[in-house]
Amino acid sequence: MRLLLAATASLFIATPVLAGDDPVSGEPQDLTFERVFASPSLNGPAPRQARLSPDGRYLTLLRNRDDDRERYDLWAYDRETAKWSMLVDSEKLGSGRELSEDEKMQRERARIGSLKGIVSYQWNADGSGLLVPLDGDLYLAKLDGNVQRLTDTEESELNPSLSKTGKYVSFVRDRQLWVGETGGEAAPITPKEADTIRWGEAEFVAQEEMSRLAGYWWSPDDTRIVVQRTDESPVGIVTRAAIGATGTKVFDQRYPVAGSDNAIVELFVMDPDGGNRVKIDLGPDTDIYVARIDWAPDGSAVYVQRQNRQQTKLDMLRVDPTTGAQSTVFVEEAADAEYWINLSDNYRWLDNGSLIWWSERDGYGHLYQLHEGATPMGGMIESGMSSWAQFTAGEFVVTKLVGVDQSERRAFFVATSEENPLEQHVYSKTFDGPGPHTTKRLTEPGFTYSASMDDKGQTLLVTRSSDDSPPQTYLADRDGKLLTWIEENALDADHPYTPFLASHRPTTYGTIKAEDGTELYWEMITPEMEPGKRYPVFYSHYGGPGPQTVANGWAGALRQAIVDKGYIWFQLDNRGSANRGVAFEQPIYRAMGGVEVRDQKAGAEYLKTLDFVDPDKIAIYGWSYGGYMTLKQLQADPGLYAAGISGAPVTRWELYDTHYTERFMGDPREVPEAYAKASAIPDATRMTDPLLLIHGMADDNVVFENSSELISVLQEANRPFEMMLYPGYTHSVGGEQISPHLWNSIFRFLEAHGVVPPE
């Protein structure tokens, strides 16, 4: 059932994209881990949050510094003059004040905990300035270079926002929502209640697992606000010890572990001063998830997506903002009886009252339209009725709705390629009205793309990369034609990665068959190999639901540094990972640690058939879910792998949160046997191969108890293992010095156990 390398490697071989026609010359320079994580970044400039101004003249973005890759400043590009300027210098303007614990945790959940300087901003409605949070305070930056300070407090202003017209600025302070006219004094508009009550903040699982960071929503005309009230009192307390280098802080954190009570979420509509408060009717069952909240374009209604606890059903509610009364517009149900609903931001309410909606109802994530007039108040529309029109279809997945030109009824989206599922491209397609409605690809093959767009669907902001070309960003018209480079990031003489191009190795792709015949994609990078010699493999994996790790996109220089040390880099996407459709993801339902382990085993067995691989030197590595996978793989097949590195692993799923865990595993109170089988604790002593365990000792995501329980079990059984713990670090253990320490520790561990290249 396995394919030979000669049969599979011919799928794609990527080559470096160079500036001009000059060949790469010079002596090869091997990468060190110290250089991989140093400044300037070997990725080149890394713009974040690129946005067009309301009038389309300016493009703004956050740009990291050459001397500090983690610090970001606000820059603007004037499309009329073709000139760049720095609007806000975070180092000069910032106070250096330490962030509050709440803001630190919000950043951690947004996966930006390591960033410094400016991490977000927002244009005001008339395009004259931007709201910029920095070091816990708020500033209004003007295009002429003037910056006005709006707040100056010891407390952090969480979730800051300008209202839709720009008349008001709002933020959360001390668990209350504050509102004031822009440039004026702000005041709280919600009451001060018990410490377990928060106004204007998304609850923990919404931030961590539902990709919803917002806790309040302005109406289009600024006359009303929907505000979330969260009661955390039902949520159990986890005492989390953040063990630091010089001391330990203890936090009593409200953390809803699987099978326990969630926070109670309520929604209220109120005036900007807090008056005329109306409670939204979310139904009698409080054990729900409030997934998404949107105002109708004309402000006549509020749309609330309500998900059941089992995450098998989602109700779209239409709410009257004057009374709080709701009706069901439609019900979305899981595509399979043993599946779940993947939440999405790929939807858009149109001005005529119709809806563009993303659904997996046909087995793949596609776009549909619910037509105007199909949603009377009080009526229910089931997902299979004729009022729905599907306008993308096929064995591919739409991953992002980029924009909509409502005047031309044209949608822009990113989707996996039917020709090459390892690439994503930007497409457009007309919808509604007379056809034919043909799909047009707007980007060229050989890269993976992401994109965003202005609200009217006129200009594309596109980023592309490949395994051998770092990210490039450009503006394009609606047909995909390049208008101007924003960050060409060409591998020219000045690029920080250029000194290492001579030793850069291409990526090879291929497939093997899973036990049921499903195609599994892999990627491999080999060092310069000598005939007759066999090489060790650094087998990286994630394995869990969500990411697609095997793809033709830039993944940074780390893997090249590993290859430079004489190792083969290899990874494989097992069943359960994303962007291959419902049938590919479904096998992990209530069975984590099963099918993924067997698929990764198939990858190891394939590697052992290759005459250039040393079959006794295959080491596996994973972080988070990947760390869990390392443990389960070592337990399932002792002796198959030479060694395993497990970073920040989940060891018992009862220790992880409700929304993520129960989506795939169900409620442990109902299916305890599924949790017992998935646990990495009962069979911990079956591990006989060398193990390196790594964990940050202040981790608030995969709490340290996951590793401490494993440590105890192994010690009590007198089983050898090694560990590297990082005081003060959370789930993301990294930094300019810490990252090289971590990776050097990994390879010292491998060398100590003989997993080394041939001499």
Side-chain angles (χ1 to χ4, degrees):
M1 300 295 288
R2 295 185 296 272
L3 302 179
L4 296 178
L5 180 65
T8 58
S10 60
L11 284 179
F12 324 102
I13 297 181
T15 55
V17 177
L18 305 177
D21 298 322
D22 293 335
V24 179
S25 61
E27 290 298 319
Q29 292 188 35
D30 287 348
L31 278 166
T32 64
F33 293 132
E34 284 73 16
R35 181 60 192 94
V36 167
F37 297 102
S39 298
S41 171
L42 294 178
N43 299 332
R48 298 174 57 88
Q49 299 192 16
R51 293 173 187 153
L52 289 166
S53 62
D55 62 3
R57 175 175 172 177
Y58 293 92
L59 177 85
T60 49
L61 51 78
L62 302 177
R63 180 181 289 168
N64 57 338
R65 293 174 173 243
D66 285 344
D67 61 347
D68 187 350
R69 59 187 288 176
E70 302 297 328
R71 176 173 288 278
Y72 283 79
D73 304 305
L74 179 62
W75 287 75
Y77 173 77
D78 188 334
R79 297 174 66 185
E80 291 185 3
T81 65
K83 291 183 178 179
W84 284 98
S85 61
M86 184 190 287
L87 292 183
V88 180
D89 184 325
S90 66
E91 205 161 51
K92 288 183 179 179
L93 190 64
S95 64
R97 181 181 291 150
E98 185 175 0
L99 301 177
S100 68
E101 191 65 23
D102 280 344
E103 185 164 0
K104 288 179 183 177
M105 291 301 99
Q106 277 199 4
R107 290 192 178 197
E108 191 68 24
R109 290 161 201 155
R111 305 299 186 258
I112 57 172
S114 64
L115 302 187
K116 297 176 287 187
I118 302 168
V119 298
S120 65
Y121 68 95
Q122 180 186 347
W123 275 97
N124 62 8
D126 64 6
S128 63
L130 305 96
L131 180 68
V132 180
L134 178 60
D135 293 347
D137 285 314
L138 304 180
Y139 300 83
L140 190 65
K142 298 290 187 177
L143 295 173
D144 61 6
N146 290 323
V147 179
Q148 177 186 0
R149 187 171 195 142
L150 301 180
T151 64
D152 185 4
T153 63
E154 290 296 325
E155 304 92 344
S156 290
E157 279 72 56
L158 295 174
N159 309 333
S161 179
L162 289 168
S163 61
K164 298 298 184 183
T165 70
K167 181 179 180 180
Y168 300 101
V169 64
S170 48
F171 54 85
V172 173
R173 181 191 292 162
D174 197 19
R175 308 189 183 201
Q176 295 174 274
L177 180 62
W178 293 59
V179 175
E181 292 196 9
T182 304
E185 290 293 323
I189 68 166
T190 56
K192 179 67 175 173
E193 300 186 74
D195 287 345
T196 55
I197 305 297
R198 295 176 182 267
W199 285 90
E201 293 182 63
E203 72 277 24
F204 174 86
V205 293
Q207 294 180 42
E208 180 66 39
E209 309 297 357
M210 297 162 62
S211 298
R212 177 170 71 78
L213 301 179
Y216 63 92
W217 299 264
W218 283 95
S219 67
D221 61 1
D222 286 2
T223 60
R224 301 282 277 170
I225 322 174
V226 176
V227 185
Q228 175 175 334
R229 179 183 184 270
T230 304
D231 181 358
E232 295 182 314
S233 61
V235 180
I237 295 175
V238 173
T239 300
R240 177 173 61 88
I243 302 171
T246 58
T248 297
K249 294 181 180 179
V250 177
F251 298 95
D252 285 338
Q253 180 179 343
R254 298 277 177 175
Y255 187 98
V257 297
S260 69
D261 291 338
N262 279 314
I264 297 173
V265 173
E266 298 172 304
L267 298 177
F268 293 82
V269 191
M270 61 189 71
D271 292 344
D273 64 358
N276 297 320
R277 188 179 302 155
V278 174
K279 184 177 181 180
I280 289 177
D281 177 13
L282 294 176
D285 185 3
T286 60
D287 195 12
I288 58 168
Y289 296 110
V290 177
R292 301 287 186 268
I293 296 92
D294 298 277
W295 282 88
D298 62 1
S300 63
V302 176
Y303 291 101
V304 178
Q305 296 178 37
R306 179 182 64 191
Q307 190 181 44
N308 65 343
R309 173 77 180 247
Q310 294 75 25
Q311 301 177 63
T312 57
K313 188 176 77 168
L314 185 145
D315 304 317
M316 178 68 80
L317 306 179
R318 186 184 192 277
V319 177
D320 183 340
T322 61
T323 65
Q326 53 97 342
S327 59
T328 303
V329 179
F330 65 89
V331 178
E332 181 80 23
E333 295 185 345
D336 186 277
E338 294 187 341
Y339 196 60
W340 55 88
I341 288 178
N342 286 309
L343 295 178
S344 166
D345 291 318
N346 301 320
Y347 64 93
R348 175 88 173 263
W349 288 100
L350 305 184
D351 292 340
N352 66 4
S354 65
L355 170 69
I356 293 178
W357 180 250
W358 182 91
S359 171
E360 294 179 291
R361 62 187 64 164
D362 79 342
Y364 290 87
H366 282 299
L367 296 175
Y368 298 75
Q369 185 184 11
L370 182 63
H371 286 285
E372 178 184 9
T375 58
M377 287 291 288
M380 178 180 290
I381 295 175
E382 297 294 344
S383 60
M385 293 182 65
S386 60
S387 53
W388 288 98
Q390 183 171 356
F391 68 88
T392 66
E395 293 187 0
F396 64 92
V397 174
V398 174
T399 58
K400 183 180 181 182
L401 176 62
V402 174
V404 180
D405 180 346
Q406 297 194 55
S407 63
E408 293 191 1
R409 314 293 281 174
R410 187 179 180 190
F412 300 81
F413 56 93
V414 176
T416 57
S417 166
E418 282 191 280
E419 297 79 20
N420 179 2
L422 306 187
E423 293 181 1
Q424 296 189 35
H425 287 275
V426 183
Y427 301 85
S428 71
K429 187 172 186 177
T430 56
F431 60 93
D432 219 354
H437 301 298
T438 57
T439 301
K440 180 180 180 182
R441 179 168 53 79
L442 307 181
T443 47
E444 62 181 279
F447 299 87
T448 281
Y449 294 80
S450 61
S452 59
M453 212 168 191
D454 61 290
D455 289 343
K456 294 185 178 180
Q458 302 300 305
T459 305
L460 284 159
L461 180 69
V462 182
T463 297
R464 73 178 190 180
S465 74
S466 73
D467 277 301
D468 301 287
S469 176
Q472 300 175 297
T473 302
Y474 60 93
L475 285 177
D477 64 17
R478 295 183 307 158
D479 293 321
K481 181 181 178 181
L482 186 147
L483 298 174
T484 185
W485 285 106
I486 300 304
E487 291 286 2
E488 187 173 6
N489 203 19
L491 291 172
D492 55 21
D494 296 326
H495 196 281
Y497 190 65
T498 297
F500 307 101
L501 276 176
S503 65
H504 183 95
R505 299 289 297 158
T507 302
T508 303
Y509 300 90
T511 62
I512 60 172
K513 298 287 188 182
E515 59 196 4
D516 66 349
T518 300
E519 268 195 340
L520 305 175
Y521 284 87
W522 55 256
E523 65 181 357
M524 179 188 298
I525 307 173
T526 61
E528 290 277 4
M529 295 186 294
E530 297 181 33
K533 290 189 175 182
R534 292 191 158 197
Y535 292 80
V537 179
F538 190 86
Y539 189 162
S540 178
H541 55 252
Y542 178 74
Q548 176 188 4
T549 62
V550 179
N552 184 24
W554 181 256
L558 175 61
R559 60 180 62 182
Q560 292 288 335
I562 292 171
V563 172
D564 279 354
K565 292 176 75 68
Y567 292 79
I568 296 169
W569 169 279
F570 184 84
Q571 64 181 2
L572 174 148
D573 274 339
N574 52 250
R575 285 171 291 170
S577 55
N579 297 339
R580 293 283 304 278
V582 170
F584 193 80
E585 291 187 51
Q586 189 277 334
I588 66 168
Y589 182 76
R590 297 189 177 181
M592 282 180 168
V595 67
E596 322 97 298
V597 171
R598 297 194 299 275
D599 285 355
Q600 295 293 337
K601 177 182 179 180
E605 291 176 334
Y606 166 68
L607 287 169
K608 288 174 182 282
T609 69
L610 304 178
D611 59 8
F612 55 84
V613 167
D614 189 328
D616 298 322
K617 294 182 179 181
I618 299 175
I620 54 175
Y621 160 84
W623 196 272
S624 195
Y625 199 106
Y628 164 72
M629 284 285 290
T630 292
L631 300 176
K632 294 295 284 186
Q633 287 173 250
L634 295 180
Q635 293 169 16
D637 296 290
L640 180 64
Y641 306 101
I645 300 101
S646 174
V650 176
T651 58
R652 278 198 301 116
W653 286 106
E654 293 92 335
L655 295 174
Y656 207 61
D657 68 55
T658 51
H659 193 272
Y660 179 93
T661 313
E662 294 175 13
R663 185 186 326 157
F664 312 113
M665 288 293 292
D667 191 320
R669 295 169 294 190
E670 299 171 2
V671 284
E673 67 283 357
Y675 279 75
K677 188 173 182 180
S679 175
I681 296 299
D683 291 333
T685 56
R686 281 178 50 83
M687 294 186 291
T688 58
D689 304 304
L691 169 67
L692 173 62
L693 179 66
I694 308 172
H695 215 128
M697 301 182 77
D699 197 331
D700 78 317
N701 182 357
V702 179
V703 294
F704 186 58
E705 184 182 340
N706 283 276
S707 281
S708 63
E709 184 174 2
L710 177 67
I711 291 167
S712 176
V713 169
L714 293 176
Q715 290 172 339
E716 291 293 333
N718 191 24
R719 294 301 170 89
F721 69 101
E722 297 172 45
M723 59 184 171
M724 181 60 68
L725 306 178
Y726 287 91
Y729 283 87
T730 56
H731 196 54
S732 301
V733 176
E736 195 154 327
Q737 298 300 324
I738 288 295
S739 293
H741 183 275
L742 187 153
W743 284 96
N744 284 322
S745 297
I746 288 172
F747 280 87
R748 281 194 298 269
F749 163 75
L750 294 180
E751 290 162 8
H753 292 281
V755 186
V756 294
E759 295 184 2

